Amino acid sequence: MRPFEFFRKDDIAKTISQKNDKAKFIAGGTNLVDLMKKNIEQPDYIIDVNSVLSTTVEVDKKKLRIGAMSKNSSVAKNADVLKEYSLISKAILAGASPQIRNMASCAGNMLQRTRCPYFYDVTTPCNKRKPGSGCSAKEGENRMNAVIGYSDDCVAVHPSDFCISLAALDATVITRNSKNKKEEIEFKNFHRLPGNTPHLDTNLPQNSIIEAIEIPKNNFGKNNAYVKIRDRSSYAFALVSVAAALDLENGKIKDSRLASGGVAHKPWRWYESENFLKGKMPTTENFSAAADLAIKDLKPLSNNGFKKEMLRGAMITALQNSLNP
């Protein structure tokens, strides 16, 4: 690991003012330190944000607000989250290990880098790690990689489980820019598809900081489920995952939410499937038809064709589990 200078400021304005292209913010450090050990990230300055960002998780009549420094584990066990936004808790508990969830901040979770093996292998070309060098995964070992939304430059997938639930529940990211001005980014626009700039993971403005995440009040608190299929039962990233939520009224589906991880460069919403389910009965036949709509546009790579049927099954299971949470 390269030598670096370490700073800790006493308010958010001073913290943001210290940020530049050679500096990195550090919160829990569960991803950044790994990247620094492998010389993928080589900052000259590390700015500790632990003391200037909120750890508060609070609910009012309109929304849930999660402070950026809230630990993943504290959000997952928060009483208000469990009562009204339980999909978030289920997604967090499906990710990483208890030790990592105790350290990782919610904002850091949103900013973690891809887990494509070629990104971490500095001896191989990777457009995400070194723009213009090529994508080793596209014709290489791509079992874990994308099946939709990818480009010739990058086939990596988004790694977070927490973010899949935020995508499903229409979250908003609250940020402060380099002039200490508050800004809001709809969660569906926060992460990026790779295009020809796969080294850019998010649309967070340069040198800005995440202050909080807000989730609007909804009727998905009761009937929801998170299904994650992975190679082992703990501390493994998703082959595919599905966050499903239903708003039921008079025995029919008034509204629904479906989002997935392990399939694309960003959390992926299945809007066509959601629209199909509106007004229909919550039956296995309708769930299967919604899943068929989701998989029809998938374009698997050479080694991950299995994800098509795996996603279909995971979506049906998640919708069925939503009826009996």
Side-chain angles (χ1 to χ4, degrees):
M1 187 184 293
R2 283 181 49 187
F4 57 87
E5 293 188 58
F6 182 85
F7 297 98
R8 179 182 293 149
K9 300 298 179 182
D10 55 7
D11 68 45
I12 193 167
K14 292 178 182 176
T15 298
I16 296 172
S17 70
Q18 292 291 306
K19 182 69 168 63
N20 58 46
D21 293 344
K22 296 181 179 180
K24 286 286 181 183
F25 292 135
I26 190 166
T30 54
N31 189 207
L32 179 61
V33 174
D34 285 346
L35 296 171
M36 291 172 66
K37 287 177 178 177
K38 292 181 175 294
N39 287 319
I40 296 171
E41 295 284 2
Q42 297 180 319
D44 291 333
Y45 310 101
I46 294 291
I47 306 168
D48 186 349
V49 299
N50 278 270
S51 60
V52 298
L53 293 174
S54 173
T55 60
T56 301
V57 180
E58 53 190 349
V59 174
D60 61 26
K61 294 181 179 179
K62 294 184 177 179
K63 64 183 181 301
L64 164 69
R65 181 181 173 91
I66 301 172
M69 266 309 302
S70 302
K71 299 297 187 183
N72 287 188
S73 55
S74 67
V75 174
K77 66 183 181 184
N78 178 276
D80 289 327
V81 172
L82 288 168
K83 181 180 179 182
E84 301 183 48
Y85 301 87
S86 55
L87 181 60
I88 292 173
S89 178
K90 292 170 185 175
I92 289 175
L93 293 177
S97 65
Q99 293 87 347
I100 290 177
R101 294 196 294 268
N102 287 338
M103 283 298 297
S105 70
C106 285
N109 186 313
M110 294 161 54
L111 295 173
Q112 64 180 303
R113 304 300 307 275
T114 183
R115 307 297 169 148
C116 178
Y118 297 102
F119 177 74
Y120 281 83
D121 183 354
V122 296
T123 67
T124 63
C126 172
N127 288 322
K128 180 174 276 295
R129 175 171 29 82
K130 185 178 181 181
S133 62
C135 176
S136 298
K138 190 168 185 296
E139 303 299 332
E141 176 47 60
N142 50 40
R143 176 175 174 271
M144 296 289 293
N145 293 75
V147 288
I148 195 167
Y150 58 82
S151 71
D152 285 340
D153 287 338
C154 185
V155 296
V157 292
H158 179 78
S160 166
D161 293 291
F162 173 52
C163 289
I164 308 307
S165 65
L166 297 180
L169 298 178
D170 302 310
T172 298
V173 184
I174 312 300
T175 70
R176 285 197 178 272
N177 65 22
S178 57
K179 297 180 180 178
N180 198 28
K181 182 181 177 183
K182 179 180 172 180
E183 296 181 322
E184 296 184 2
I185 304 173
E186 289 184 273
F187 199 80
K188 64 181 181 181
N189 298 324
F190 184 74
H191 294 96
R192 299 165 57 102
L193 291 179
N196 58 8
T197 56
H199 58 291
L200 302 175
D201 292 326
T202 73
N203 287 313
L204 181 67
Q206 191 173 23
N207 299 329
S208 293
I209 195 167
I210 297 173
E211 188 172 75
I213 306 110
E214 294 183 350
I215 299 94
K217 185 80 173 177
N218 60 61
N219 294 319
F220 299 116
K222 181 180 179 181
N223 295 106
N224 61 68
Y226 190 75
V227 170
K228 179 178 180 179
I229 301 176
R230 46 189 163 176
D231 286 330
R232 57 179 185 271
S233 60
S234 178
Y235 197 40
F237 295 96
L239 288 164
V240 300
S241 65
V242 176
L246 297 174
D247 176 8
L248 301 175
E249 185 176 81
N250 299 323
K252 292 185 177 181
I253 300 170
K254 182 179 180 182
D255 203 358
S256 67
R257 293 290 184 273
L258 286 165
S260 284
V263 298
H265 199 257
K266 61 183 288 183
W268 196 266
R269 274 282 291 273
W270 305 104
Y271 293 105
E272 189 175 1
S273 299
E274 292 177 6
N275 289 332
F276 169 81
L277 288 171
K278 282 184 181 179
K280 293 190 169 59
M281 299 296 290
T283 63
T284 299
E285 289 73 19
N286 284 328
F287 294 161
S288 298
D292 287 338
L293 286 174
I295 66 171
K296 66 181 175 58
D297 294 326
L298 300 188
K299 295 180 179 179
L301 302 166
S302 57
N303 295 316
N304 65 7
F306 67 92
K307 284 193 175 187
K308 201 166 186 175
E309 282 305 309
M310 182 176 282
L311 175 64
R312 183 178 186 277
M315 188 171 290
I316 296 169
T317 300
L319 288 165
Q320 290 173 327
N321 290 352
S322 297
L323 300 176
N324 299 292

